[in-house]
Amino acid sequence: RRAASAVHVRRPLDPDLVVYSAFSHRGVLGDPAAIHRAARELAPHLRGVWVVRDEECAADPALLPPGTEHVLLGSAACRRVTERAAFLVNNVNWPGTVAKREGSVHIHTHQGTPLKYMGVDLLGRPGARHGLDVPQMLRRADRWDHSLVAGRYAERIWERAYPCHFASARTGSPRNDVLVNSGPEDGRRVRERLGVPDGHTVVLYAPTRREYRRGGLVERLDVARLAADLGEDHTLLVRLHPSLATGPARGLGLSELHRRGVVVDATDEPHVEDLMLASDLLITDYSALMFDYALLDRPILIHADDWGPYAATRGTYFDVTEEAPGHVSRSYRELAWLLASGAWRDEEATRLRSAFRARYCEYEDGRAAERVVRTLFLGEPMPGPEPSGVPGARGVPSGRDLLPST
């Protein structure tokens, strides 16, 4: 193996080879998937290869569409493509075994706009960084050439959390292009697939994990009660944080409620964008999903009944209860009132949502994946931005201004 690697790293890079991975090699997902789709359309001469972690992922058409070229993590084929690729795209750090060759370009997409502390900011939060090797994270982040950002806020945070040698690329988030450019038919198709009855109001409940509780699970809401209070003309989609998908949370009644048709357990849905398109309202606590959902210009409720303990243990970059994308509830009684009274979609909710988008989503105009392909893969100047139709979104500078030096 060492001899083969020594041979491959002495061969020239393949300028047309792009290697992708997402969510620890789970499949064709997230920002890397959006970039891959754009590359197939705009630069069909580029060969895209996905790294997947095992045969189970490779056999799932929802994770790896038929006909997608892929290699298994740790295989000889995986070593060959990662050692020869001119471009490597990931939303999680590549393993330490993947060497950064001179001339190769590593593009890091992240997994959303951060609210909670990340990177070096976790050094002062021992409970939040349990199991994380921050120095190792920084060594791997130092291989990034470009860090994709959705706005100036995200740019400042990523450069603070990972003080490394990358440049921030002001592209927007490629996975969010589908949200900005969506039409009513997109959500309707997803609703049909999920079995949502016609005419139902769809509520997406997406809580995040808690570092102050072993295992990360804190059941802040009784979802059966919430579904009942919403009424028979509503469908409640529940999506747990991905880190809780295989833990005890699924066995604490959620699976049974799904089986009985009380709620729809959407935790295993691979594409969270589909769930956002299918829903009329997002209820969350401190999930980064709020930054993406705001692009749909649909109402958001922040349920912050444990904001104090959460902020004290995990650490956050701003007080989401003061700069929320919608109304904030501090108890279930307040949440139920916001839902029953219709305040969740009043003029104040619209104002809060617009201000939030203007502050945190300024580069999201629906052309992020195109920017990555044209500017980072092909080296072309980017044409000036077109109006995005997203209230509060700003235009992205054209050409080389996308790649400011750091």
Side-chain angles (χ1 to χ4, degrees), residues 285-299:
D285 36 39
Y286 323 117
S287 171
L289 207 64
M290 69 179 78
F291 297 95
D292 305 330
Y293 198 85
L295 297 171
L296 289 170
D297 196 23
R298 300 175 189 175

Side-chain angles (χ1 to χ4, degrees), residues 56-141:
E56 183 178 356
C57 290
D60 187 342
L63 297 175
L64 192 75
T68 303
E69 186 174 358
H70 68 281
V71 294
L72 296 182
L73 180 67
S75 66
C78 179
R79 290 191 297 274
R80 285 195 297 270
V81 295
T82 54
E83 289 163 353
R84 296 289 313 284
F87 303 95
L88 292 96
V89 182
N90 205 337
N91 67 359
V92 179
N93 270 323
W94 291 100
T97 53
V98 176
K100 175 71 165 67
R101 290 190 61 186
E102 183 177 357
S104 65
V105 177
H106 285 220
I107 299 171
H108 192 76
T109 71
H110 303 286
Q111 296 180 31
T113 298
L115 168 64
K116 59 189 178 184
Y117 276 5
M118 307 292 286
V120 296
D121 292 318
L122 291 174
L123 290 174
R125 307 280 173 163
R129 62 179 167 84
H130 179 71
L132 295 176
D133 187 337
V134 174
Q136 183 186 71
M137 291 168 60
L138 294 179
R139 286 192 295 271
R140 295 179 177 181

Side-chain angles (χ1 to χ4, degrees), residues 299-370:
I300 302 171
L301 291 178
I302 300 297
H303 187 57
D305 65 333
D306 66 337
W307 171 248
Y310 182 86
T313 53
R314 175 68 201 215
T316 60
Y317 291 111
F318 66 92
D319 187 342
V320 74
T321 66
E322 296 294 330
E323 300 180 32
H327 290 296
V328 177
S329 60
R330 301 281 189 169
S331 66
Y332 184 79
R333 182 177 181 180
E334 289 184 5
L335 177 64
W337 179 85
L338 288 169
L339 292 167
S341 67
W344 59 278
R345 54 183 174 184
D346 63 12
E347 291 184 3
E348 177 63 6
T350 301
R351 185 193 69 79
L352 291 169
R353 193 164 64 249
S354 178
F356 189 86
R357 281 194 307 272
R359 189 179 302 118
Y360 299 111
C361 309
E362 56 192 326
Y363 300 154
E364 303 277 36
D365 69 349
R367 301 180 68 191
E370 178 188 355

Side-chain angles (χ1 to χ4, degrees), residues 217-343:
L217 172 65
V218 176
E219 292 186 293
R220 307 307 309 178
L221 288 180
D222 181 339
V223 294
R225 179 183 178 186
L226 176 60
D229 289 345
L230 286 170
E232 295 183 354
D233 58 346
H234 288 65
T235 294
L236 179 61
L237 309 180
V238 180
R239 183 179 179 83
L240 299 179
H241 189 274
S243 66
L244 303 175
T246 58
R250 307 294 287 284
L252 297 179
L254 184 57
S255 297
E256 176 62 16
L257 291 174
H258 175 83
R259 186 188 67 80
R260 289 163 44 198
V262 177
V263 303
V264 176
D265 179 5
T267 303
D268 289 335
E269 282 289 320
H271 303 286
V272 69
E273 298 87 0
D274 287 349
L275 302 179
M276 290 190 278
L277 289 170
S279 61
D280 301 294
L281 163 68
L282 171 67
I283 301 176
T284 187
D285 36 39
Y286 323 117
S287 171
L289 207 64
M290 69 179 78
F291 297 95
D292 305 330
Y293 198 85
L295 297 171
L296 289 170
D297 196 23
R298 300 175 189 175
I300 302 171
L301 291 178
I302 300 297
H303 187 57
D305 65 333
D306 66 337
W307 171 248
Y310 182 86
T313 53
R314 175 68 201 215
T316 60
Y317 291 111
F318 66 92
D319 187 342
V320 74
T321 66
E322 296 294 330
E323 300 180 32
H327 290 296
V328 177
S329 60
R330 301 281 189 169
S331 66
Y332 184 79
R333 182 177 181 180
E334 289 184 5
L335 177 64
W337 179 85
L338 288 169
L339 292 167
S341 67

Side-chain angles (χ1 to χ4, degrees), residues 162-230:
Y162 297 98
C164 302
H165 294 93
F166 58 82
S168 293
R170 297 170 180 171
T171 58
S173 303
R175 72 187 181 285
N176 287 339
D177 290 348
V178 67
L179 303 180
V180 178
N181 300 321
S182 65
E185 287 300 319
D186 298 296
R188 187 174 297 115
R189 285 191 292 268
V190 179
R191 289 175 180 231
E192 291 174 355
R193 181 170 58 80
L194 295 174
V196 176
D198 289 341
H200 269 215
T201 298
V202 178
V203 178
L204 173 60
Y205 175 50
T208 193
R209 64 176 288 117
R210 303 300 199 276
E211 277 73 17
Y212 65 78
R213 179 69 60 87
R214 184 184 298 274
L217 172 65
V218 176
E219 292 186 293
R220 307 307 309 178
L221 288 180
D222 181 339
V223 294
R225 179 183 178 186
L226 176 60
D229 289 345
L230 286 170

